[in-house]
Amino acid sequence: MRKMSSKATNLLQPRASRIKQKLENALEASILELDDVSYKHAGHAGVKDGANETHFNLKVVSSKFDGQNLVKRHRMIYDLLGDELQSGLHAISIVAKTPKEVGGK
Amino acid sequence: MTIAAVASLSVVRLSSSTRNPAYSSFITATPRNFRFPKDSRSLSLVRVSSTHKIRLSPYIVRCSATQDAELKSTIDKVVNSEKVVLFMKGNKDFPQCGFSNTVVQILKSLNVPFQTFDILENNVLRQGLKEYSSWPTFPQLYIDGEFFGGCDITLEAYQNGDLQECLEKAMCS
């Protein structure tokens, strides 16, 4: 019962929170910035009218990206957000860096 | 350029078409022309067993495994048909998405010849490409038959020179 209610609660969270949670858990990101820019894409071809939380900008810094080229890093993120992409997330602009690349440790 | 007409493509004859002319009536490949099924009726039978065929006039539908293999084969040929192939929303003259437009403008600024396909015109192609590329969004850029990336990757590669290097290699090969 507790598990069911926490799952239900999860679904009620805004998409942005769910995305952040999934990425933080899986990538152990040192930096994770997520911006909802759906308003910039209103009326976009292929997007339903009035939809929100459809387009996001994401910046994530994680050591899990070490040794991965850009395609692999983006695929990693898309795989984590598979459910969101099936349920209305339309596009996500990704900046995926390692701590070294942003000048960190 | 619509999906139905692609210039300078070699003949593609799907092997199943000789056994099933009706199937080939909606996935045909003739010289200088690719055609993808326009509707998803043919894909609605993924639950049908491999031993069962259903006739949907004017289509005869095979099992989903055969359809997937043929769609994959056709996409293989399309991505290799030109050195630079872009699957996008709209076309190079009328992009219908900011991300697609960004890639178009980058390629135009580099003066590379490239072919575009409008995935908004054909949902079968749209869904098939997502699986083929293991990439859920568009645009999708292919260089020399290999998936290069979407808008973000193309933009970053353009800014750091990797895209130009990759294009030069492709054009010379």
Side-chain angles (χ1 to χ4, degrees):
Chain A
M1 281 293 287
R2 274 189 198 162
K3 275 186 185 173
M4 279 174 60
S5 64
S6 69
K7 192 179 180 182
T9 309
N10 215 27
L11 288 171
L12 291 173
Q13 283 180 327
R15 191 187 302 282
S17 307
R18 294 199 302 268
I19 291 175
K20 267 194 172 164
Q21 203 168 48
K22 284 177 191 178
L23 296 179
E24 271 164 1
N25 291 344
L27 299 175
E28 294 165 17
S30 51
I31 297 173
L32 199 154
E33 296 168 6
L34 185 70
D35 297 317
D36 184 352
V37 291
S38 309
Y39 66 94
K40 291 186 181 176
H41 297 270
H44 189 294
V47 180
K48 288 179 193 168
D49 288 333
N52 59 8
E53 295 206 297
T54 56
H55 292 70
F56 288 89
N57 288 344
L58 170 71
K59 178 181 174 183
V60 57
V61 178
S62 166
S63 54
K64 300 230 171 183
F65 295 139
D66 277 326
Q68 309 274 342
N69 65 20
L70 283 180
V71 171
K72 285 183 180 161
R73 294 180 192 187
H74 288 216
R75 276 201 177 123
M76 216 189 283
I77 292 169
Y78 284 138
D79 287 344
L80 291 167
L81 300 180
D83 288 344
E84 301 297 336
L85 287 159
Q86 298 291 329
S87 63
L89 175 61
H90 190 74
I92 181 160
S93 285
I94 300 172
V95 173
K97 303 277 185 192
T98 64
K100 223 184 209 175
E101 286 165 357
V102 293
K105 291 182 193 175
Chain B
M1 170 72 70
T2 64
I3 289 167
V6 176
S8 66
L9 292 172
S10 57
V11 174
V12 174
R13 187 68 66 189
L14 299 173
S15 60
S16 67
S17 64
T18 56
R19 296 196 298 274
N20 191 341
Y23 187 66
S24 70
S25 72
F26 80 96
I27 292 186
T28 58
T30 56
R32 307 174 74 80
N33 182 293
F34 279 122
R35 191 175 302 146
F36 292 93
K38 281 238 161 184
D39 62 37
S40 58
R41 282 184 292 168
S42 62
L43 298 179
S44 66
L45 299 171
V46 288
R47 299 178 209 92
V48 177
S49 74
S50 59
T51 56
H52 185 63
K53 289 180 189 174
I54 290 181
R55 187 180 292 268
L56 285 175
S57 178
Y59 307 111
I60 289 178
V61 182
R62 288 170 167 262
C63 70
S64 62
T66 310
Q67 291 169 356
D68 287 347
E70 290 186 346
L71 182 59
K72 181 187 178 302
S73 169
T74 304
I75 294 176
D76 277 338
K77 290 174 175 74
V78 172
V79 303
N80 284 290
S81 62
E82 299 281 342
K83 289 291 183 184
V84 184
V85 177
L86 178 64
F87 300 97
M88 60 178 286
K89 295 179 179 177
N91 57 55
K92 63 168 85 171
D93 296 317
F94 297 106
Q96 292 191 46
C97 153
F99 302 118
S100 293
N101 183 47
T102 298
V103 177
V104 165
Q105 297 313 319
I106 287 172
L107 294 173
K108 282 184 173 177
S109 75
L110 295 175
N111 272 327
V112 290
F114 64 103
Q115 184 65 60
T116 63
F117 290 89
D118 184 357
I119 54 91
L120 293 175
E121 280 191 341
N122 191 306
N123 204 46
V124 172
L125 177 65
R126 186 174 185 169
Q127 298 310 319
L129 272 167
K130 287 181 181 180
E131 287 181 30
Y132 181 89
S133 312
S134 299
W135 199 264
T137 58
F138 292 94
Q140 293 182 11
L141 179 64
Y142 277 79
I143 299 176
D144 218 5
E146 298 284 329
F147 177 70
F148 184 80
C151 173
D152 299 328
I153 290 174
T154 304
L155 181 60
E156 189 166 335
Y158 171 68
Q159 288 168 340
N160 67 25
D162 287 348
L163 175 65
Q164 291 86 324
E165 199 178 308
C166 188
L167 287 169
E168 211 173 304
K169 252 187 228 171
M171 295 303 165
C172 293
S173 65

